[in-house]
Amino acid sequence: MHKLLFAAASLSLLVGAPSMAAPCKDAKGRFTKCPKAPAKVVRCKSANGKFAKCGTAGAKPV
């Protein structure tokens, strides 16, 4: 039982390692820093439940 669990844990570490590597490459195939993810847009709703500008009175972020 212990050998089976150890084998499963070892296999999961080997399979998971390539997915953790940075996948960003330039046109020549060299590794580069990945661009930052764009910031999420903050949307606000008014008191009656409709979307509104976030600066208006009574608008709350969703």
Side-chain angles (χ1 to χ4, degrees):
M1 181 78 172
H2 291 296
K3 288 182 183 180
L4 182 64
L5 290 175
F6 181 73
S10 299
L11 183 62
S12 68
L13 289 175
L14 291 175
V15 172
S19 66
M20 294 187 308
C24 300
K25 293 184 179 181
D26 62 2
K28 294 182 180 179
R30 296 182 187 144
F31 286 104
T32 60
K33 282 191 173 182
C34 294
K36 300 278 183 189
K40 270 193 158 181
V41 178
V42 177
R43 300 184 75 181
C44 297
K45 283 191 176 183
S46 62
N48 61 358
K50 294 184 180 180
F51 287 105
K53 286 188 177 180
C54 289
T56 58
K60 295 181 181 177
V62 180

